[in-house]
Amino acid sequence: MFQSPEWVGWKNYIHLLASDEVFLQAVKNTFLIALVTGPVGYFVSLMVAWLISDLRPGLRAVMVTVMYAPSISGGAFAVWKLFFSGDSYGYINSLLLRFGLVSSPVQFLTDSRYMIWVCILVTVWMSLGAGFLSFVSGFQTIDRSMYEAGYVEGIRNRWQELWYITLPAMKPQLMFGVVMSITSAFSCGDVSTNLFGFPSTDYAAHTVINHMVDYGTTRMDMGYACTIATLLFAVMIGANQMIQRLLEKVGR
Amino acid sequence: MTVWISSGRDQAQVLKSLLNDSFIPQTGTGVKLELVAQGTLLTATVAGIGPDVALGLGQGDPVNYALRGAALSLNDMPGFAEVQSRFREELSVPLYWDGRCYALPETQGFPVLFYRTDILEELGLSVPDTWDDVIGMLPILQKHSMTFGLPSSTVLNPSGGLPVFYTLLLQNGSRIYRDDPVSCALDEEGAVEAFRRWTEFYQNYSLPLETDFMSRFRTGEIPCRGIGYFTVQFVGGDRAGDQGLLEDCPVPGTVREDGSVDHAAVYSASCSMILADSRYPEEAWEFLEWWTRTETQTRYAREMESILGSSARYMAANRETFAGLNWSYDEAAVLEAQQAVCRGIPETAGSYFLPRHLTNAFRRVVLHSADAKDTLLDYVYTINQEIQIKREEFHLDS
């Protein structure tokens, strides 16, 4: 790391793709988290924003704050550590013990069988982020006369209204939401580090970002860390392109 | 000359006044003391704007820097042997690589056994001297809804449980690395046995895997802590709160063949290092020599304690300073006895894999009821593979 770099050709890429088992595990975890939390988070934000947009302005501001709070609170997901703590006095464990459902505390945060699910739960909880805010504002910007014109043209219910008028009219916001949600889904890693320690037991909640940080800091192998970052970047661009194509179909 | 300290503002201020009082007038060397955030050293050194001396590093750092040619070897410095004699030899073990020393120890950490005199007396238990005594007292403790405390690896401290394993291992007469640190020696008979005993405490005797030790010690649920460290609370305030009910003694031991008891445990250190691209190596060494002197360390320790109270007790690596701290007579004897048998763990290329995978192995056995021997051997294979990869990276013979 302090010496001048050595030319290794494609060695890092070959090792990464062909023989790094931990990387495969990390890819699997990242995709699982991204697949569950990305779409779920996106649709939940959209739906919640849609519902909220019909409220009175005062009440709407309160609801937006309530929904948006988890994602701006930074490290506040650490409260989940209290819930899932492996101590017999942890919130969930003390309840389980009191009702006699288990005989010894469940190690939610260090047992590789439970960790990934805890990770997904917490990530979903935090997923109403910047995309959500842009949806809320997007709903406000739509011209009322569009709806009136729609009723004249034969829109019969609110679903049709949503699909044919609202969503096409707020495509820029939808796009922004997608970009934000993909980047956050693929770059998740903080939750894993904070909840399960670094690295997590048997890499059970290891994400691609964690893998990169592991090589970049603990193992001081910058070349390999860069290899991982490059691949991740390529995959993120690919996913973005794909979803942009999908979004073009909205309203058709 | 630039010196970096990352422990805290109070520490930096005390050191600054010491520098202005004695080092700078005595030597005429200008010292720029800078308080930096932890972890800055690596990036700054890579960028070429690092300091000459870094204080308060972890014990794994010097060898990691040395392997990459970024730490200065201290062996040839004037008076090196005399400076080394200020510390216990074992404390410096992790600071050596290939026979050369790359840092000086600053503080030391080692475990003792803590116990509540009132509770043990009430239950009619004597203080355990060996691990067998510990197992013998467990049924009585558990009958009273209490248990015996051993540190374990948690989310916040992923290698927290390892001192227990290392203690059992050393007392078993085994070692962690082979003499040439090309591979770890944990696949040897004695190590497997120590690993089995470690996991059995949790499997067969159901010790808790995660506890808040301080609160349970106070409520009395854990009246006895086998491998306990002098943390902030333990030296300071709470100790007075326990009204003299807290005592310490050497960690549980293992009976040797000749009938004596081996109380070996592991040492850990924080240390100070000179960076290889320092432009003032002689002055930097002069500074380290001055900083590790008994007189400087004692003044620093006293001033820290007078500012922050006894909770800021500075566990100096310097032997005379440590002995001169505010210990009671009995306590000093216990600490002396424990330190005398403590051993340091060597560092090697790729040694970060050891705590990581030992914790993994431990959890697989305890949580998934895997076979202790198979599991350990599996992970030792992974660890040795990593050491091998790192040796190739640094062009070391394997």
Side-chain angles (χ1 to χ4, degrees), chain A residues 77-246:
Chain A
F77 55 82
V79 295
W80 290 96
K81 268 198 249 183
L82 268 179
F83 283 89
F84 288 109
S85 166
D87 194 320
S88 50
Y89 289 114
Y91 290 169
I92 292 179
N93 270 316
S94 66
L95 282 178
L96 289 177
L97 285 166
R98 177 169 304 165
F99 294 116
L101 296 173
V102 292
S103 59
S104 61
V106 184
Q107 302 297 315
F108 290 108
L109 302 180
T110 55
D111 189 329
S112 49
R113 284 171 296 192
Y114 310 115
M115 285 155 57
I116 189 79
W117 303 112
V118 174
C119 187
I120 287 174
L121 179 81
V122 175
T123 317
V124 168
W125 177 75
M126 304 175 47
S127 63
L128 270 68
F132 166 71
L133 271 198
S134 78
F135 294 153
V136 172
S137 53
F139 280 114
Q140 307 307 310
T141 57
I142 299 167
D143 193 346
R144 289 278 133 200
S145 56
M146 301 259 285
Y147 291 106
E148 283 158 22
Y151 297 138
V152 174
E153 299 287 338
I155 294 279
R156 274 192 301 270
N157 56 39
R158 293 223 50 186
W159 290 109
Q160 284 187 348
E161 187 187 296
L162 181 70
W163 185 250
Y164 290 111
I165 302 175
T166 314
L167 291 184
M170 53 182 286
K171 254 187 191 169
Q173 286 87 0
L174 288 181
M175 195 65 82
F176 176 71
V178 166
V179 175
M180 293 308 285
S181 126
I182 289 178
T183 18
S184 69
F186 278 111
S187 59
C188 64
D190 270 5
V191 172
S192 167
T193 307
N194 278 290
L195 287 181
F196 314 111
F198 183 78
S200 45
T201 315
D202 273 332
Y203 306 114
H206 210 57
T207 64
V208 174
I209 290 287
N210 291 143
H211 199 48
M212 188 180 80
V213 171
D214 191 12
Y215 273 97
T217 59
T218 316
R219 306 189 191 187
M220 296 204 206
D221 189 347
M222 276 296 164
Y224 200 74
C226 290
T227 311
I228 301 172
T230 313
L231 268 187
L232 184 63
F233 183 58
V235 171
M236 267 157 108
I237 290 187
N240 249 328
Q241 293 291 336
M242 203 177 76
I243 294 180
Q244 287 189 10
R245 296 260 164 76
L246 275 179

Side-chain angles (χ1 to χ4, degrees), chain B residues 185-228:
Chain B
L186 297 179
D187 45 3
E188 286 173 2
E189 195 69 35
V192 173
E193 185 51 36
F195 183 74
R196 198 189 301 277
R197 289 193 73 184
W198 179 36
T199 48
E200 273 175 359
F201 275 113
Y202 299 87
Q203 284 196 298
N204 299 355
Y205 302 102
S206 42
L207 292 191
L209 280 165
E210 196 178 332
T211 51
D212 176 25
F213 171 60
M214 275 311 300
S215 8
R216 302 239 191 147
F217 196 73
R218 207 171 302 144
T219 59
E221 282 163 283
I222 296 185
C224 206
R225 171 86 153 176
I227 307 280

Side-chain angles (χ1 to χ4, degrees), chain B residues 5 59 118 124 138-139 189 191 221 239 241 273 294 328 333 343-344:
Chain B
I5 183 169
Q59 65 175 7
D118 53 340
L138 268 170
E189 195 69 35
E221 282 163 283
R239 169 151 257 205
M273 173 176 87
T294 307
S328 73
R343 308 252 297 275

Side-chain angles (χ1 to χ4, degrees), chain B residues 83-100:
Chain B
V83 172
Q84 271 300 3
S85 69
R86 295 171 185 169
F87 320 104
R88 283 178 196 276
E89 213 173 302
E90 284 291 328
L91 198 53
S92 299
V93 167
L95 312 180
Y96 274 83
W97 172 253
D98 208 11
R100 303 197 66 81

